[in-house]
Amino acid sequence: MKNQSYVELTNILKQKIDRLLSEKIVDYMIVYEKGSLWFKTRPKMIRKQTDMEKVIWNRYCQFNLSTFLKSLSGKDENIGIIAKKCDLGSIVELIKNNQIKKENLYILQVACDGVINWQKLENLLGTKVAKAIEVEEDSPNLVIKMPERNIEVLKNDCLPDKCLICDFQPSPYANDFLTIVDEKIEDIKEIKSQPLPNLEPLDNMSYEERLGYWLKHFSRCMRCYACRNVCPVCYCSTCMFDGQEGLWISKESKTSDNYVYHLTRAFHVATLCVECGECQRVCPVNIPLMKLNSKLAKEISDTFGYQAGLLIDDLSPFKTYCQEDPDEFK
Amino acid sequence: MRKIGVFVCWCGLNISRTVDIKKVVEEASSHPQVVCSTDYKYLCSEPGQKLIKEMVQEKGLDGYVVAACSPSMHETTFRELASRCDINPYLCEMANIREQCSWVHEDREEATEKAIKLVNMTVEKVLYNEPLYPDSFPLTKRVMVVGAGVAGMQASLDIADAGYEVLLVEKRPFIGGHMTQLSETFPTLDCAQCILTPKTAEVARHPRIKMMPYSEVEEVKGYVGNFEAVIRRKATFVDWDKCTGCAICIEKCPKKIYSEFECGLKEGKSIDMAFPQAVPFKVFIDKESCIFLNRGKCGVCAKLCPEEAIDFQQQDQLVKEKVGAIIVATGYDLIDKSELAEYGYGKYKDVVDGMQYERINSSSGPFLGVIRRPSDGKIPKEIVFIQCAGSRDKEKGKPYCSKICCMYTAKQARLYKHKVPDGQAYIFYMDIRAGGKGYEEFIYRSVEEAGILYLRGQVSRVFEEEGKLVVWGMDTLSGKKIEINADMVVLASAMVPANGVKELANKLKISTDEHGFIQEAHPKLKPVESMTRGVYLAGCGHAPKDIAESVAQGSATASKVLTLFSRDSVMAEPTVSIVRKDECSGCLSCEIVCPFGAIEKEDYRGKIIAKVNSALCQGCGSCAVICRSGAIDLRGYTNQQLIAELEAALWK
Amino acid sequence: MEIVAFCCQWCSYAGADLAGTSRLKYPADIRIIKIPCSSRINPTFILKALSKGVDGVMVAGCHPGDCHYATGNYFTRRRLTILKRLLEFSGINPERLQLYWISAAEGGKFAESVRDMVSRLERLQDKPFPRNPGISL
């Protein structure tokens, strides 16, 4: 989408939110506002129409606002939330798992054709994004306006993995879908045909190489738990690793305990994880956590034909069974 | 800090032969919280228990570990001892160093090392054991018996005689079960009706037995002491309060139908009474075949009934009943015809099953007790009985023995010889299983006195040729092929669980085995209990058995129920799940996976969270695992206890 | 060989007892933890055991369809099927986790299963989780 399209969409969005608040359809809205730098955004909860000016919508609204819904269960307020197509999946999971009632939620889906992962962009540019002045789209490229010159990069190379497999269509669970007429419909198909982020490099390793690979990563884990805290489907009131401290893993950050933590985390979000990529995005030491999540999602899909975040009425395959389930045991 | 005692049992030589007891005792005593560690030859003996008691008092133990046999053997013994020592029984645990150590390992060093570990694991677990107290629940002292065959009737009579109300639910319109169809019974050859009728009459007139014939269990909720059953009383289209059983309607009803009671040997009517001695002595209309109910015309019965008892408007009724215990006595059917095609069953009229033969032999049956063959009514001069027709046959999926066939076949052959002295009876058999009081003697008399020809071997085929049924078989004793030109063939067909048992079992949350028979809680020690507390089982629904055994089981279930009713409340095992309210996220995944519906919802600080109904919880722990946060945990097997045990199990 | 076993108390633990009463012999490399039902096994128990460097974890439950609690082992079967895939992906040979269906009547199968587990583990080329992977690399 062109920058102008984002501006127009932001205006429609503001009008919409204004109406939702003034007509008391929602008590407050969870929205994006401008972050510390021009290419950063941050979440904002607005209750007053006077805060409306802060609402923005642009290609840097990468993170998943639904993570702010998970601590709200039990409160009887009506909440409005801005959601991209990818965020709808985790909202569906939160509804499925009784963390929020659908009737208390107003989901405002906004047209999106991919958000920018500025770390990826930075790697492409070889310099800090902060040095740039502006980014404009010139399909299929992005034009990065630097003080001295413009740099063009392929937009797809700057998208997070989740955008490469997204159809960007309206979700049946959205209360409203905000869009503008844009010439981008054709490109959407093109984006969809991108290959899936694959797990092959690991598949070809021996067990020892693979364990070594993971232990190298896990040895860097400081157990800051950012991956857990940001995860929209890590909704437990008290995480098992906090509840009875030192019970499951020791307090010191041992690699073997980190292994237990990370595999348990992945297993716990399996059947709920919608692969929004937030855990990996926020990891301060860049552990490729999405590899674990994607692997489990794939296994669960292959074995039980189940995909998280699709339908509110779907039951997690771990909460049901078939007598004829595959049985590889003796 | 808790003070733990460790007591290591020699079990005579059973443990001490392979395990260095002294070393186990020494190692255990090195644990900082083990304040006493000792051993004894037989800890379960009186002096052994006395030793434990003394040590508990002397050392002020908070809990103890008994390293001995399997907990399934003596856990109760040592936990009861704990109670007597003023220790909560759940602070006593057993380390299994016999069945899972000394008996399975030969190397003394290895076995000793493992025993030391097993003791240590148990000590670590017991450090986290909490004192647990059983909950108690009120109890409805009323029982529902499902199935009014001889087993169900016996159970009902015993319980009603003891002073409690019984609800006797029977799917057929009469009580008495299959026994009402039998002619004479082995090994005494007394008439089935003669011994059964007094019982059915007693059931019918018993003030504390509420009969519910022609009814089926629709739904069961609740738990031991507090079941709530919904029973469907099927419409009979006859007001039974008015019906006198005069049978004018039966006589005049124009619609002839298959008679289940007569196994198709005689036709029944759309309005009928199963047999002339039926209890209750009432008629009912078969909904499927009645001309009036299907086409709105006829109504002859209504016109002729002197009591105006016919009511075509009658509807099924759903009644709710509260009971404290349930006895399942659902009985059997015979294997389906289609499974016995090689014997020509279903194809030739003169190939009959054991139950049909009983009707033929019955003085109230289609031929008034004269042995005639169904096709033309001739008296068969050569008759072949085939045992194990379907039973003990893996290919038919019935590898089990139907148990009663050896006896009733001998009986049937003997009755044949009484009635047709110049006829010849042959019995093909695999083995003769006559384990019962007077059974073996009965078989012998059949062979020696009655002149019945026993042929050991199986029949490969039965086919018709020139008006005869040709039976091809093999005598495995002589190795010769046998061909008999018979007038009639009687199959001792396999018994199978009655139709609908599986569905009933699901409603009651009890399990069935691979053949559909109801699973007992333990094959030896709990043969009449089901897996669900408060649900007991009697008769052939559990496995094939004869009348005497069914009656015995009926009485056994009655005694179980009476034991339950002897108290004013039900005690529940305290090893159930519990929710840490503050940690529960309210996702209610536990509710979905709980097989017992034990998870309820609770409003806690404005949030809906999970709550365990400890009367329903059976302590499987499924909830504790689906719960990611560990907010729901299983008492007796908490995460903490299991991790303590696991960490102690690890090799250093 | 170092093997931790989780056995459900109704079937496989009773099966292990029967192996004992029948005096069947099997390797002493196994340490049994009794649980009420195989569905009580938290995958983290298994991860924890493996991360401590044990050679294998054996889980034993009632045969499918025969669960004392009606359905517990069906859940276990699903969970462990996926857990094995995750272990494999994390670099632990999935053979190190085995699930056996052993009834209370199958003392012979219990002993056989322990032998099977040991021989499978002996055949593995790869190593179990390192004993001391350290605080950091």
Side-chain angles (χ1 to χ4, degrees):
Chain A
M1 270 190 288
K2 291 277 185 193
N3 289 358
Q4 186 54 34
S5 304
Y6 280 113
V7 173
E8 285 169 32
L9 260 178
T10 303
N11 286 333
I12 303 174
L13 188 59
K14 283 178 180 168
Q15 286 164 23
K16 180 76 191 176
I17 294 171
D18 187 59
R19 202 170 66 76
L20 291 175
L21 286 173
S22 65
E23 291 178 10
K24 301 255 182 294
I25 294 169
V26 299
D27 294 303
Y28 62 92
M29 270 309 287
I30 305 175
V31 301
Y32 296 94
E33 71 169 347
K34 194 175 158 299
S36 52
L37 294 164
W38 65 268
F39 58 92
K40 288 191 175 178
T41 55
R42 63 183 177 217
K44 171 84 183 162
M45 294 192 188
I46 57 170
R47 284 182 183 271
K48 293 178 296 210
Q49 281 152 276
T50 47
D51 281 341
M52 193 63 66
E53 278 318 301
K54 297 195 170 136
V55 175
I56 56 159
W57 176 246
N58 59 33
R59 60 171 69 88
Y60 313 106
C61 296
Q62 192 193 152
F63 54 84
N64 185 344
L65 291 177
S66 68
T67 199
F68 298 99
L69 293 174
K70 62 186 185 184
S71 54
L72 301 173
S73 71
K75 299 203 180 80
D76 250 351
E77 282 184 310
N78 290 324
I79 307 159
I81 186 166
I82 293 177
K84 305 183 291 295
K85 176 62 182 279
C86 51
D87 307 335
L88 251 311
S90 50
I91 295 176
V92 164
E93 286 304 322
L94 289 170
I95 295 169
K96 262 161 86 168
N97 289 281
N98 301 314
Q99 296 306 299
I100 185 125
K101 290 194 189 107
K102 176 80 185 73
E103 57 267 30
N104 289 350
L105 198 60
Y106 193 98
I107 305 168
L108 196 49
Q109 189 183 342
V110 189
C112 165
D113 64 354
V115 289
I116 302 298
N117 179 325
W118 56 264
Q119 286 100 330
K120 274 193 181 181
L121 179 57
E122 225 157 53
N123 288 343
L124 278 176
L125 291 176
T127 177
K128 294 272 179 207
V129 182
K131 288 188 180 159
I133 302 158
E134 197 186 18
V135 173
E136 175 59 295
E137 181 160 344
D138 183 13
S139 188
N141 289 343
L142 289 178
V143 183
I144 321 297
K145 294 183 182 159
M146 305 297 281
E148 58 282 6
R149 66 194 169 103
N150 289 354
I151 305 174
E152 290 203 10
V153 293
L154 200 60
K155 182 184 170 192
N156 279 1
D157 291 343
C158 309
L159 298 180
D161 291 345
K162 63 178 176 181
C163 296
L164 299 175
I165 52 168
C166 185
D167 65 2
F168 304 118
Q169 295 301 307
S171 158
Y173 297 113
N175 297 70
D176 204 346
F177 181 64
L178 298 189
T179 186
I180 49 162
V181 185
D182 196 280
E183 73 288 354
K184 291 289 296 172
I185 306 300
E186 291 307 306
D187 291 349
I188 287 174
K189 284 182 192 132
E190 187 199 326
I191 287 167
K192 260 193 83 179
S193 64
Q194 287 285 323
L196 286 161
N198 65 65
L199 308 162
E200 261 171 33
L202 280 189
D203 284 347
N204 296 331
M205 289 181 185
S206 72
Y207 287 117
E208 265 137 355
E209 285 167 343
R210 224 180 294 158
L211 185 61
Y213 170 88
W214 284 113
L215 292 186
K216 202 177 110 219
H217 279 298
F218 294 153
S219 69
R220 292 184 289 111
C221 172
M222 318 176 275
R223 274 217 245 120
C224 68
Y225 292 126
C227 48
R228 176 193 76 190
N229 299 344
V230 78
C231 176
V233 294
C234 262
Y235 54 70
C236 295
S237 315
T238 311
C239 176
M240 73 185 251
F241 293 109
D242 292 342
Q244 289 160 284
E245 216 174 309
L247 172 64
W248 296 95
I249 49 177
S250 63
K251 284 180 208 169
E252 55 178 327
S253 173
K254 277 196 269 183
T255 304
S256 60
D257 282 347
N258 293 349
Y259 173 88
V260 174
Y261 164 70
H262 282 291
L263 266 68
T264 300
R265 187 204 60 79
F267 202 82
H268 275 191
V269 297
T271 79
L272 297 114
C273 173
V274 293
E275 299 175 69
C276 71
E278 290 290 277
C279 48
Q280 185 166 325
R281 186 180 67 82
V282 300
C283 178
V285 293
N286 295 319
I287 301 174
L289 296 168
M290 279 308 294
K291 279 195 166 44
L292 292 171
N293 296 340
S294 301
K295 172 69 180 173
L296 281 170
K298 184 179 179 307
E299 290 298 336
I300 284 164
S301 162
D302 289 353
T303 315
F304 306 117
Y306 172 88
Q307 198 186 330
L310 277 188
L311 296 169
I312 285 178
D313 295 329
D314 272 356
L315 194 58
S316 154
F318 286 155
K319 297 181 196 167
T320 182
Y321 64 88
C322 271
Q323 290 180 0
E324 297 77 27
D325 274 338
D327 192 336
E328 56 190 59
F329 306 106
K330 292 160 288 282
Chain B
M1 272 226 296
R2 255 185 202 167
K3 289 189 232 165
I4 303 297
V6 171
F7 302 95
V8 186
C9 183
W10 295 40
C11 196
L13 280 173
N14 281 309
I15 296 171
S16 60
R17 186 187 287 126
T18 348
V19 171
D20 183 342
I21 302 276
K22 218 174 145 191
K23 215 167 158 195
V24 176
V25 170
E26 258 173 43
E27 285 289 334
S29 64
S30 68
H31 191 288
Q33 280 174 269
V34 172
V35 296
C36 123
S37 176
T38 184
D39 59 290
Y40 192 72
K41 256 199 165 133
Y42 291 103
L43 279 170
C44 58
S45 68
E46 266 306 308
Q49 296 197 36
K50 199 165 153 252
L51 168 80
I52 296 177
K53 197 169 180 182
E54 281 166 7
M55 289 315 253
V56 169
Q57 279 155 359
E58 192 185 314
K59 305 277 180 183
L61 300 181
D62 299 304
Y64 58 80
V65 169
V66 180
C69 50
S70 168
S72 56
M73 193 77 190
H74 273 312
E75 191 177 73
T76 317
T77 312
F78 292 112
R79 285 195 166 168
E80 278 174 3
L81 174 65
S83 293
R84 293 200 298 277
C85 300
D86 294 326
I87 293 182
N88 184 285
Y90 294 89
L91 287 168
C92 156
E93 289 276 354
M94 290 189 76
N96 187 343
I97 59 165
R98 192 180 75 174
E99 279 83 345
Q100 295 180 6
C101 190
S102 72
W103 277 352
V104 287
H105 307 315
E106 277 164 328
D107 184 291
R108 191 172 168 85
E109 208 167 300
E110 275 183 356
T112 304
E113 192 204 345
K114 182 170 169 180
I116 290 167
K117 263 288 171 193
L118 292 175
V119 170
N120 187 239
M121 284 160 68
T122 319
V123 169
E124 287 296 332
K125 182 184 183 192
V126 101
L127 286 174
Y128 292 103
N129 279 20
E130 289 297 326
L132 301 177
Y133 305 92
D135 258 342
S136 70
F137 307 94
L139 170 69
T140 307
K141 294 187 182 179
R142 195 163 180 257
V143 68
M144 175 167 80
V145 178
V146 186
V150 73
M153 290 199 304
Q154 185 63 46
S156 303
L157 285 171
D158 288 355
I159 295 167
D161 284 344
Y164 300 102
E165 203 179 315
V166 179
L167 210 65
L168 181 55
V169 181
E170 167 58 50
K171 71 174 174 186
R172 274 169 287 229
F174 60 91
I175 62 168
H178 279 307
M179 200 175 157
T180 55
Q181 289 169 279
L182 306 183
S183 54
E184 272 117 89
T185 54
F186 64 81
T188 45
L189 295 187
D190 36 9
C191 149
Q193 281 288 347
C194 312
I195 53 175
L196 187 69
T197 314
K199 276 214 186 293
T200 48
E202 201 184 336
V203 168
R205 65 165 184 264
H206 204 294
R208 281 183 294 276
I209 298 180
K210 183 173 168 190
M211 276 201 301
M212 291 186 128
Y214 213 39
S215 300
E216 290 191 47
V217 176
E218 193 80 4
E219 190 192 334
V220 177
K221 281 196 287 201
Y223 47 92
V224 59
N226 301 279
F227 292 107
E228 196 175 282
V230 178
I231 299 153
R232 176 180 293 274
R233 305 206 69 168
K234 294 179 281 187
T236 58
F237 304 100
V238 177
D239 184 340
W240 279 11
D241 290 337
K242 293 180 185 162
C243 176
T244 60
C246 71
I248 293 173
C249 52
I250 303 175
E251 207 177 298
K252 300 293 177 190
C253 174
K255 183 71 180 176
K256 289 182 178 169
I257 61 167
Y258 177 91
S259 162
E260 205 186 299
F261 186 84
E262 298 291 356
C263 308
L265 293 168
K266 194 172 139 187
E267 280 173 322
K269 293 286 187 67
S270 244
I271 186 163
D272 213 342
M273 189 183 291
F275 57 105
Q277 299 80 25
V279 175
F281 191 60
K282 309 284 177 190
V283 299
F284 68 100
I285 293 177
D286 175 61
K287 196 160 95 180
E288 308 304 319
S289 62
C290 170
I291 302 174
F292 187 87
L293 286 173
N294 288 285
R295 282 184 265 155
K297 279 184 259 175
C298 183
V300 170
C301 48
K303 283 169 209 151
L304 292 176
C305 178
E307 305 295 326
E308 297 184 338
I310 310 294
D311 175 10
F312 289 117
Q313 304 305 317
Q314 215 180 68
Q315 300 271 323
D316 286 7
Q317 274 182 316
L318 292 179
V319 259
K320 264 191 194 167
E321 297 281 356
K322 282 193 170 170
V323 293
I326 297 171
I327 294 172
V328 185
T330 44
Y332 66 95
D333 282 338
L334 292 182
I335 188 170
D336 193 68
K337 272 196 183 80
S338 60
E339 301 255 29
L340 301 173
E342 71 261 42
Y343 304 121
Y345 185 53
K347 187 173 175 192
Y348 310 122
K349 273 191 168 173
D350 296 333
V351 179
V352 299
D353 65 28
M355 191 56 85
Q356 285 176 309
Y357 186 83
E358 289 295 324
R359 293 313 302 152
I360 292 171
N361 199 24
S362 167
S363 52
S364 62
F367 307 124
L368 303 171
V370 182
I371 308 281
R372 294 179 188 280
R373 58 184 203 177
S375 62
D376 53 10
K378 273 190 192 152
I379 294 175
K381 293 294 175 193
E382 305 238 359
I383 187 164
V384 173
F385 293 89
I386 302 172
Q387 292 192 178
C388 299
S391 307
R392 302 175 68 191
D393 187 342
K394 275 188 193 149
E395 296 198 350
K396 293 198 171 31
K398 315 268 180 272
Y400 56 86
C401 166
S402 289
K403 200 171 180 183
I404 59 167
C405 321
C406 289
M407 292 307 297
Y408 81 65
T409 303
K411 172 200 78 177
Q412 290 177 337
R414 263 175 73 177
L415 293 173
Y416 169 78
K417 287 292 284 183
H418 286 177
K419 292 179 176 176
V420 191
D422 61 335
Q424 182 58 55
Y426 306 88
I427 298 179
F428 280 95
Y429 71 102
M430 282 163 76
D431 309 282
I432 294 298
R433 298 181 167 181
K437 193 173 176 182
Y439 288 11
E440 180 70 8
E441 297 91 316
F442 184 84
I443 298 275
Y444 260 94
R445 279 202 304 277
S446 308
V447 178
E448 287 174 353
E449 293 166 23
I452 296 158
L453 209 55
Y454 269 86
L455 299 164
R456 182 174 182 154
Q458 277 177 300
V459 170
S460 58
R461 223 184 126 197
V462 176
F463 58 96
E464 206 170 45
E465 204 173 78
E466 292 165 10
K468 289 274 187 183
L469 288 166
V470 184
V471 180
W472 278 2
M474 179 68 93
D475 181 350
T476 50
L477 293 179
S478 66
K480 281 184 190 149
K481 213 184 134 189
I482 297 173
E483 184 177 312
I484 299 168
N485 290 326
D487 298 309
M488 190 170 165
V489 172
V490 183
L491 305 176
S493 319
M495 282 166 110
V496 296
N499 200 9
V501 168
K502 185 93 201 167
E503 291 74 16
L504 179 69
N506 287 341
K507 287 171 194 165
L508 292 169
K509 298 195 181 80
I510 58 178
S511 41
T512 50
D513 66 16
E514 55 187 315
H515 310 301
F517 289 109
I518 297 162
Q519 188 75 48
E520 67 278 14
H522 189 280
K524 298 180 195 81
L525 303 177
K526 290 183 173 180
V528 298
E529 287 100 319
S530 77
M531 297 290 193
T532 302
R533 268 187 86 197
V535 180
Y536 306 94
L537 39 114
C540 293
H542 158 249
K545 51 179 66 75
D546 61 30
I547 295 169
E549 274 185 286
S550 296
V551 171
Q553 262 199 339
S555 287
T557 52
S559 95
K560 289 286 164 195
V561 171
L562 294 176
T563 309
L564 181 69
F565 288 179
S566 68
R567 300 199 187 98
D568 289 322
S569 59
V570 197
M571 302 293 258
E573 279 283 317
T575 44
V576 295
S577 289
I578 181 163
V579 178
R580 274 187 283 269
K581 296 182 184 186
D582 288 313
E583 294 175 21
C584 177
S585 70
C587 71
L588 298 172
S589 300
C590 46
E591 187 189 17
I592 300 171
V593 299
C594 176
F596 307 101
I599 306 290
E600 296 170 353
K601 291 179 191 129
E602 179 183 19
D603 193 325
Y604 178 69
R605 298 185 179 165
K607 186 165 140 188
I608 303 298
I609 61 163
K611 183 187 173 188
V612 178
N613 179 332
S614 50
L616 288 174
C617 177
Q618 305 276 311
C620 67
S622 290
C623 54
V625 176
I626 200 74
C627 179
R628 302 188 301 179
S629 67
I632 192 164
D633 210 345
L634 179 62
R635 281 176 168 154
Y637 295 94
T638 59
N639 288 330
Q640 186 122 49
Q641 285 172 297
L642 292 175
I643 286 181
E645 213 177 338
L646 173 63
E647 290 201 322
L650 297 172
W651 287 254
K652 291 289 178 263
Chain C
M1 220 33 80
E2 303 176 356
I3 302 165
V4 175
F6 292 95
C7 296
C8 82
Q9 63 176 336
W10 303 99
C11 289
S12 40
Y13 192 89
D17 277 351
L18 182 60
T21 14
S22 318
R23 309 295 199 278
L24 303 172
K25 304 295 173 219
Y26 56 79
D29 303 328
I30 179 168
R31 287 163 194 179
I32 298 175
I33 295 175
K34 185 174 83 157
I35 44 173
C37 174
S38 61
S39 69
R40 177 66 189 92
I41 296 167
N42 195 314
T44 309
F45 294 155
I46 295 167
L47 292 172
K48 198 171 166 71
L50 289 171
S51 79
K52 299 282 179 185
V54 300
D55 291 278
V57 174
M58 172 176 168
V59 171
C62 310
H63 284 270
D66 289 342
C67 177
H68 177 81
Y69 303 102
T71 55
N73 52 4
Y74 289 128
F75 292 114
T76 311
R77 182 167 68 181
R78 283 196 158 195
R79 265 198 290 268
L80 296 200
T81 301
I82 298 300
L83 185 65
K84 280 187 84 153
R85 300 285 90 78
L86 179 63
L87 286 175
E88 184 171 25
F89 188 67
S90 76
I92 297 287
N93 193 321
E95 287 275 293
R96 298 193 182 278
L97 169 61
Q98 295 292 341
L99 174 53
Y100 296 90
W101 309 121
I102 302 168
S103 83
E106 293 175 325
K109 187 172 177 191
F110 183 86
E112 189 43 53
S113 302
V114 178
R115 286 193 287 268
D116 175 67
M117 181 95 200
V118 171
S119 74
R120 275 163 186 277
L121 293 174
E122 277 168 353
R123 281 199 302 271
L124 299 186
Q125 301 294 315
D126 51 273
K127 292 191 181 59
F129 200 95
R131 272 296 144 97
N132 202 352
I135 307 287
S136 63
L137 284 180

